[in-house]
Amino acid sequence: MALSRLLLLFMVASEVWNAETRPIDFVCDRESRRDMNTVAEMEAALADCDALKTLPFPIQLPCIKVHKASWERKSAHEKKGDIAASLGALSRSVLVVKTLSQPGCAAILLERLEHTVNNYLLIITHLDIRGSVESPLFSCTPQSTHSLSTVLWTFSRLITGKLEWLMTDLTHGCP
């Protein structure tokens, strides 16, 4: 029963968020960003997934710690690069673990997480922010964990912390 609910939840969540949405809509519409955040649903699905207490391989956590004064001194372009680097590393790490996982509840949840992270990464990379082109850098030394619960919590902190702060910086261009 739990697996069938998880499959149904995954199918609904896999639908394209909004094919007409552009990165500027993401910046200007906080409600769209809230609707896109499906971490709570993934955490609920995780509770129903007995097979996923511990991941067989570690997942790299995104950098979420922020020194407020340093963050405020960064350009929007640097902030975008920081977030994109964290999302990209998380996506690659989830893909590896998903590929090596057994089919079933765990693989479905990891696929959903990968899909969600990639949606955010796609939007962030397509934001039109002027600035010097440089390689995105991590703002911390990335850590890893075998706990999907920790991964979801950290991902949630990234999108409700750094990402929201960047969006606040960019709302000056909203109509």
Side-chain angles (χ1 to χ4, degrees), residues 7-124:
L7 286 171
L8 179 61
L9 183 62
F10 174 73
M11 288 175 20
V12 170
S14 322
E15 293 301 314
V16 176
W17 162 52
N18 180 349
E20 300 300 316
T21 300
R22 300 165 297 161
I24 192 66
D25 297 330
F26 182 80
V27 171
C28 296
D29 187 359
R30 185 180 182 116
E31 201 59 39
S32 290
R33 291 193 307 274
R34 283 190 187 147
D35 290 345
M36 189 175 163
N37 183 348
T38 59
V39 173
E41 290 91 10
M42 286 187 278
E43 289 172 332
L46 178 60
D48 289 340
C49 189
D50 294 331
L52 200 55
K53 299 295 182 209
T54 303
L55 295 166
F57 303 96
I59 290 182
Q60 184 175 318
L61 297 173
C63 296
I64 60 169
K65 292 183 180 177
V66 175
H67 180 263
K68 187 110 168 105
S70 297
W71 183 258
E72 290 174 353
R73 283 194 301 272
K74 287 183 175 187
S75 69
H77 190 55
E78 290 171 315
K79 292 174 186 178
K80 172 187 167 182
D82 179 305
I83 296 165
S86 288
L87 289 170
L90 178 59
S91 175
R92 289 185 299 275
S93 190
V94 169
L95 174 63
V96 168
V97 174
K98 180 189 79 167
T99 303
L100 299 172
S101 293
Q102 297 295 318
C105 180
I108 291 169
L109 195 51
L110 288 167
E111 186 168 327
R112 180 164 181 216
L113 175 59
E114 179 192 20
H115 179 77
T116 302
V117 171
N118 285 335
N119 281 343
Y120 278 102
L121 184 57
L122 187 65
I123 290 169
I124 290 297

